[in-house]
Amino acid sequence: MADRYLSFTGTAPGRFLTRRLGLPQPAALHRWSAGRPLLEGGLLHLTAGRPGLDGLAGVLARTMAHAQTADGLLVDSAPPADGSSGSGGDRPAAVVLDATGVADVDALAEVHAALHPVLRSVADSGRVVVLGAPLDPADHRQAAAQQALEGFVRSLGKEIGRGRTVTLLRLTDAGTAESTLRFFLSPRSAYVSGQVVEVTAPRPDDSPAGAPTDPDRPLTGRTALVTGAARGIGAAVAETLARDGARVVCLDVPAAGAGLDALAARLGGLALPLDITAADAGARMVAALPDGLDVLVHNAGITRDRRLVNMTAERWSSVLDVNLASVLRTTDALLDAGTLRPGGRIVATASIAGIAGNAGQTNYAASKAGIVGLVRALAPGALAEHGVTVNAVAPGFIETKMTAAVPLFIREAGRRMNSLAQGGLPVDVAETTAWLAHPGSGAVNGQVVRVCGQSLLGA
Amino acid sequence: MADRYLSFTGTAPGRFLTRRLGLPQPAALHRWSAGRPLLEGGLLHLTAGRPGLDGLAGVLARTMAHAQTADGLLVDSAPPADGSSGSGGDRPAAVVLDATGVADVDALAEVHAALHPVLRSVADSGRVVVLGAPLDPADHRQAAAQQALEGFVRSLGKEIGRGRTVTLLRLTDAGTAESTLRFFLSPRSAYVSGQVVEVTAPRPDDSPAGAPTDPDRPLTGRTALVTGAARGIGAAVAETLARDGARVVCLDVPAAGAGLDALAARLGGLALPLDITAADAGARMVAALPDGLDVLVHNAGITRDRRLVNMTAERWSSVLDVNLASVLRTTDALLDAGTLRPGGRIVATASIAGIAGNAGQTNYAASKAGIVGLVRALAPGALAEHGVTVNAVAPGFIETKMTAAVPLFIREAGRRMNSLAQGGLPVDVAETTAWLAHPGSGAVNGQVVRVCGQSLLGA
């Protein structure tokens, strides 16, 4: 399970040898830990195109205050004369480029002009967040320029190196994107890079559950249900939502036994041993949640790999049933019973295999693509009127017992074939889930967010 | 430029050695050639879910007649008892699975049941075409099941092997998809696999230019303009459109000189030496096309690779100007002057780099992503009312002088990192362009079709 190559390249002889041989040099990623500042350096706020996004400077200033960084917000600051300057204060930990006003190809030159001189100075594990506008269907020049930002960001993510990430957020309003900006500027998004996220859903004026009172525990007073919680990614999700203040109902198959009980006890939550494919699974979830549910995390999943020519009907159906049909059935039951409260959050686990396909996984990829279809259909409708969002996370190569069982060569390829040259950790998926579950993330709806270090694999 | 590895694995010792060493074994693809049947075997028509698509059997029967195959159309035929049977008549050259009626996860079991027993018998370079329905935003069970088909098809494309391709077409009407079905069932789509194409745009009742009278020369009486026509992909596009009956205006920079003249003369067309970035380029195109234009192919493009930290403003702007700004300017000029006729076709060249990004190509990827944005914005609007479609082709690794200059290791990776384990040929992009340019393809609009052998790279 341990990534020995990553450990080796973290040593002095490892760095020397891998550099001489031209081998991948994964950076040690800066992840969240209690007490450590969310930004270890200043934040550089740049603009390309005119006019910029109203209120962005205020949102960034609040983000900096929350991040408890020693350095300040640098607005439209001139680049350091010597880009390679090594002193702390000169190296921004993050760059936010407001490119929402880029409305034609000429204005794209300002994107180059803004970032080209400052990139070298961005700190290790730093963040580059480009803000774009939704494509205007009535203006093909604007649509071309804004879509160009996507090719730009995905390319920059592949070349920037040193654990730094690059993200494109498409938004229309800085205020509704605050929780999203905080996530992508923080160590919590360490393994999310090269992705495009739309933050454009209209948010109901008032979430009945109310705004979080403690910004460090935004889920206080809320209840979350996590399926497949006994281990791996599910356990990390349960822990992270509990850290953020939620009361967590930990669901897993009865065979998970004492491990599930211990986790729930440690988190001050509830253990719910239950086979989600059972006919009465939805009804039992409803019964276990008499006071309602705020955050529903569909994480449970299985694999039964075979090429289609060798795949039995049983292997096909078991994967489709656990990973997709039971998600549909239990979601419907929780919605029909009114258990999921207004302002609720549904987060389902998709997979890169569901986006790109994978040899030997027609069943698994079908089930995970089905999750994407579920999100796309369910997000914009009646639920949105009640402030409920429906999103998916799509993990790439994550270090778990499941991936530890993958043959060495394929495992090594999975680990290195991404822009960060390493596998992710379960906590990376959990942090992404926590951002989507945040009460302030109501403008993020219908998104499929890859947590993959910008894996090369895709569609 | 030659793929020596592919040549080697085509020999008996090459086959023996690569099999023993577990190396990629690319199949020799069956491409179109005059006089050769379009299908070398029967077509198996299967159904999953109920009811099937109206009129599909008739469309497939006409396709078989056009394909001049010796074998017939096998509707819902029982699978051969011995899937590995080698006799010609028992091995379908193509399978069409109508899954438009799959409305829930249970019905997906019929997809497995239909294809699992027959896959082994599908001939080398055969075709599997799955027909799906558009996602229903009001029915999340249907949306999940139909999106599941995407994960299924992309996985099957990665595991099926032997030069066989797998495609998902989303459609609502068999009649408007006939030209598309013919393309994906024929050798013309040899290098297009693992892709999803929507054939759902409403088609005006009557294309003013009329239906083609000669199915083998569907562009008879039509005029096409191809930029960057002097060599590589552009030259192949010009030749293929001329083969299909079009009068082709071959545009390239004045420096292309005699080569451009020779090509135009050979095709019976017109040479138009012109720098597309010139301020009067659009006006000169309009002047060269006094009788109007039916097919506009934006193929010209350049690269000026550098990482962003080392990229000058001049490198940035020259790529954006040639690949994107000039496409916008000249398209606008041809539309404003009324040169592009009703029923016209715009096909622009994007790139996998514009979808997935590429290190060292922030400028090129931005320009090619911009093409995607142009297509998305321009396709559904006023042009669609006049029967004009706007689509893009996105080439992967294509064997040209440009890719021959790529360093050996990167070139080999580009060639093998796709489901067909080989690079494509310029003619593969040209055939895809010809399908999009076909008068019968009016229901294909706003699509970005990858011609990449199902490259692993994506977003």
Side-chain angles (χ1 to χ4, degrees), chain A residues 116 141 159 308 311 332 360, chain B residues 112 116 141 159 308 332 360:
Chain A
H116 163 69
R141 294 174 199 84
E159 68 180 47
L308 188 63
M311 186 180 287
D332 288 351
Chain B
H112 170 271
H116 163 68
R141 294 174 200 84
E159 68 181 47
L308 188 63
D332 288 350

Side-chain angles (χ1 to χ4, degrees), chain A residues 379-452:
Chain A
L383 293 180
E385 289 170 25
H386 297 99
V388 174
T389 64
V390 189
N391 295 287
V393 291
F397 187 95
I398 303 294
E399 305 280 356
T400 64
K401 280 186 185 170
M402 192 159 101
T403 52
V406 169
L408 175 70
F409 184 77
I410 298 174
R411 191 170 70 231
E412 268 305 296
R415 276 176 172 154
R416 306 304 158 213
M417 281 172 63
N418 59 71
S419 297
L420 298 170
Q422 60 194 289
L425 302 180
V427 71
D428 297 319
V429 183
E431 295 282 14
T432 306
T433 304
W435 152 58
L436 294 168
H438 192 286
S441 298
V444 186
N445 195 19
Q447 302 298 298
V448 178
V449 183
R450 288 173 48 150
V451 184
C452 64

Side-chain angles (χ1 to χ4, degrees), chain A residues 174-342:
Chain A
T176 58
E178 186 160 337
S179 65
T180 301
L181 276 162
R182 286 191 187 187
F183 173 69
F184 280 105
L185 289 172
S186 81
R188 292 176 174 167
S189 60
Y191 201 61
V192 184
S193 189
Q195 303 308 305
V196 181
V197 175
E198 304 221 353
V199 193
T200 54
R203 195 177 58 169
D205 285 341
D206 232 345
S207 161
T213 48
D214 179 352
D216 288 326
R217 291 176 64 82
L219 296 176
T220 300
R222 298 185 185 226
T223 299
L225 172 68
V226 180
T227 71
R231 59 178 195 164
I233 292 172
V237 171
E239 298 214 25
T240 303
L241 297 182
R243 176 202 70 188
D244 282 0
R247 173 178 169 264
V248 182
V249 178
C250 302
L251 186 151
D252 213 311
V253 290
L260 188 68
D261 291 334
L263 177 72
R266 184 155 56 81
L267 303 180
L270 179 74
L272 183 57
L274 174 61
D275 178 352
I276 55 172
T277 65
D280 65 345
R284 289 184 56 194
M285 289 183 192
V286 169
L289 296 159
D291 299 325
L293 180 65
D294 301 289
V295 180
L296 170 58
V297 181
H298 288 295
N299 164 74
I302 61 169
T303 58
R304 296 287 182 273
D305 298 354
R306 284 286 187 283
R307 285 172 191 264
L308 188 63
V309 289
N310 298 322
M311 186 180 287
T312 62
E314 193 281 332
R315 281 183 173 263
W316 175 272
S317 295
S318 60
V319 167
L320 267 298
D321 199 32
V322 173
N323 297 6
L324 184 57
S326 74
V327 170
L328 287 157
R329 279 194 303 264
T330 56
T331 300
D332 288 351
L334 289 163
L335 292 174
D336 291 348
T339 301
L340 194 73
R341 281 196 281 252

Side-chain angles (χ1 to χ4, degrees), chain B residues 70-87:
Chain B
D71 301 278
L73 177 64
L74 319 167
V75 180
D76 279 343
S77 130
D82 170 12
S84 61
S85 160
S87 87

